[in-house]
């Protein structure tokens, strides 16, 4: 008797996480051109971000923990930091409405300042059908002047979602909280955008 395929993992968030403040750190992003640089992807091929002419989504997150890594209280104490794995899973589980609204999987990306090797493990473990982009040197983060924070000697970008089209940012969401609900705001915006056309 063959075993049934295992469902993709889910990772519920703990309660009572600190809520990130709205500090207008992304107010400059509207209509901002994307930088002419390429980032490594989990597929192995670099992606030139300025080449994203069709409407695409970039879900930016701070970092994911390794399978053997326990999440310390110091990370949970940073407003908005906890929740990267639940966020990535929520995007994975929202592919159907996103595709219905005109966003195919090959125009959906996650992005963090972690290495491609770390991200490839995440893609496999979480069964992610979309690519992750590595901004390990913070080239994209710095070019767009995205808000970051330091944790244990590492620099991470705060959680932001970007909708880009024609090589520019056409919509942004920040802060994104709760992390696993952010994609719902994107779906709502896409529905409104479709209704206006």
């Amino acid at each position: 008797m063959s075993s049934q395929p295992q469902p993709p993992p889910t990772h519920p968030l703990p309660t009572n996480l600190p809520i990130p403040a709205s500090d207008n750190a992304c107010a400059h992003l509207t209509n901002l051109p994307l930088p002419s640089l390429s980032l490594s992807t989990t597929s192995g091929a670099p992606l030139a971000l300025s080449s994203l002419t069709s409407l695409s989504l970039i879900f930016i997150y701070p970092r994911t923990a390794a399978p053997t890594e326990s999440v310390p209280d110091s990370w949970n104490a940073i407003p908005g930091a906890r929740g990267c794995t639940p966020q990535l899973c929520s995007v994975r589980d929202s592919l159907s409405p996103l595709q219905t609204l005109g966003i195919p999987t090959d125009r959906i990306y996650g992005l963090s300042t972690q290495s491609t090797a770390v991200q490839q493990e995440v893609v496999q473990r979480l069964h992610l059908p979309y690519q992750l982009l590595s901004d390990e040197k913070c080239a994209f983060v710095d070019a767009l002047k995205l808000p970051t924070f330091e944790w244990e000697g590492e620099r991470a970008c705060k959680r932001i979602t970007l909708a880009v089209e024609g090589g520019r940012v056409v919509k942004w969401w920040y802060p994104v909280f709760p992390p696993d609900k952010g994609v719902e705001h994107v779906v709502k915006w896409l529905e409104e955008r479709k209704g206006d056309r």
Side-chain angles (χ1 to χ4, degrees), residues 3-186:
S3 60
Q4 294 295 320
Q6 294 297 312
T10 58
H11 296 265
L13 282 167
T15 58
N16 300 322
L17 289 174
I19 300 173
S22 180
D23 56 11
N24 295 317
C26 292
H28 64 286
L29 291 177
T30 303
N31 208 36
L32 192 69
L34 296 177
S36 298
L37 56 85
S38 296
L39 295 180
S40 298
T41 72
T42 44
S43 70
L47 176 70
L49 293 164
S50 58
S51 71
L52 297 176
T53 54
S54 298
L55 184 62
S56 305
L57 302 173
I58 304 175
F59 295 88
I60 303 170
Y61 61 96
R63 72 185 297 275
T64 54
T68 57
E69 181 182 357
S70 60
V71 180
D73 291 339
S74 59
W75 180 258
N76 288 343
I78 301 171
R82 178 72 185 268
C84 300
T85 297
Q87 180 188 21
L88 295 176
C89 291
S90 70
V91 174
R92 176 201 65 199
D93 297 341
S94 300
L95 291 182
S96 180
L98 291 173
Q99 291 167 351
T100 299
L101 291 165
I103 310 295
T105 306
D106 62 0
R107 287 197 265 124
I108 299 171
Y109 304 93
L111 183 151
S112 75
T113 55
Q114 293 175 289
S115 69
T116 298
V118 168
Q119 293 178 334
Q120 287 172 332
E121 185 280 326
V122 171
V123 165
Q124 182 177 11
R125 172 163 47 92
L126 302 182
H127 305 179
L128 302 182
Y130 56 92
Q131 296 186 67
L132 301 184
L133 309 176
S134 173
D135 190 23
E136 196 170 7
K137 296 182 179 179
C138 295
F140 181 77
V141 166
D142 288 340
L144 266 62
K145 298 180 180 178
L146 301 180
T148 62
F149 63 94
E150 298 280 339
W151 184 73
E152 294 192 355
E154 295 181 358
R155 189 178 175 205
C157 189
K158 293 186 179 182
R159 197 179 314 279
I160 307 159
T161 300
L162 302 178
V164 301
E165 187 176 33
R168 292 179 177 270
V169 177
V170 296
K171 179 72 174 178
W172 52 270
W173 291 264
Y174 170 83
V176 177
F177 190 87
D180 58 347
K181 301 298 182 184
V183 67
E184 296 177 8
H185 297 288
V186 178

Side-chain angles (χ1 to χ4, degrees), residues 184-196:
E184 296 177 8
H185 297 288
V186 178
V187 169
K188 182 179 179 181
W189 174 74
L190 289 169
E191 290 173 339
E192 294 171 348
R193 189 176 192 261
K194 186 176 181 179
D196 291 339

